[in-house]
Amino acid sequence: MAYCPVEFVTHTMKVKRLYKQVIRDIQAWHTFRHDFRVQAVLMRQKFEENRHIKDPIKAKQILEEATEKFEYIRHPDPILFPSSYGAPAWDRTDVAKSHDAVLDGWHPLEREQYPDYFARREQRKKEFVEWYDKTYGRPPYERVD
C-alpha cells in the first residue's frame, strides 16, 4: 500500500501558521528585542482586526492577500533553527552517538583497549535477552546468535 500523507488544514490553522511565519520574519528583520516586540504587537493588532469576520469568502480573500503581501516582503535570509527543515543541521545525526550497535562492529584490537567496558556490555546484552525472552517469550522460529 502506498503511503500518502494527507492533512486537512482549516482556515484557522492557515491563519495561525501565517501569523507564526510573520512573527519569525519580523524577528529576522528586527534584531533588537524592543524593536521586535513593538512590531510584533502591531502585527498582532492587524490580525486581531480581522478576527471576528464571519463571512468565509471574505476571510479567505483577506488571508490570500496577507499571504501574497508576506511573500513579497519576506526576509531574504530568514532565521532558521539549527535542526529545522532546510537549516544546516537538518537530518544530521551522529551515528556513533545515536546507535549502540556501532560498538558491535569494533575490531577486537579496539575492544581490547577497554576490556572492562566490553565485558560488562556483553553481560548486559545477555541479561537483556534473558529478560526479553522471559517477558515476551521466544519467537516461533529459532534466533541465530
Side-chain angles (χ1 to χ4, degrees), residues 5-94:
V6 177
E7 181 183 13
F8 182 73
V9 182
T10 64
H11 177 77
T12 305
M13 292 168 65
K14 290 177 185 176
V15 171
K16 288 179 181 180
R17 289 177 183 181
L18 177 64
Y19 177 73
K20 188 172 182 178
Q21 288 176 346
V22 169
I23 292 299
R24 291 288 181 207
D25 192 64
I26 290 172
Q27 191 175 13
W29 283 108
H30 301 279
T31 55
F32 295 112
R33 183 164 176 76
H34 178 71
D35 294 340
F36 161 69
R37 190 69 196 137
V38 169
Q39 294 301 320
V41 168
L42 292 174
M43 185 56 63
R44 178 64 185 216
Q45 182 182 2
K46 289 181 183 179
F47 273 79
E48 288 291 331
E49 289 172 0
N50 299 320
R51 182 177 191 168
H52 300 291
I53 295 177
K54 301 292 184 195
D55 184 20
I57 296 172
K58 186 174 180 184
K60 184 177 180 180
Q61 181 183 8
I62 291 172
L63 178 64
E64 288 174 356
E65 290 173 1
T67 305
E68 286 178 18
K69 184 177 179 184
F70 171 66
E71 291 297 329
Y72 181 72
I73 63 169
R74 183 175 238 165
H75 195 279
D77 187 22
I79 295 173
L80 296 174
F81 294 107
S83 56
S84 63
Y85 181 76
W90 167 252
D91 205 22
R92 288 189 184 180
T93 54
D94 189 1

Side-chain angles (χ1 to χ4, degrees), residues 125-142:
K125 284 168 57 175
K126 289 177 185 175
E127 290 172 0
F128 176 76
V129 170
E130 291 171 4
W131 169 82
Y132 186 87
D133 289 342
K134 188 174 92 175
T135 305
Y136 301 107
R138 300 286 289 176
Y141 53 87
E142 187 61 32

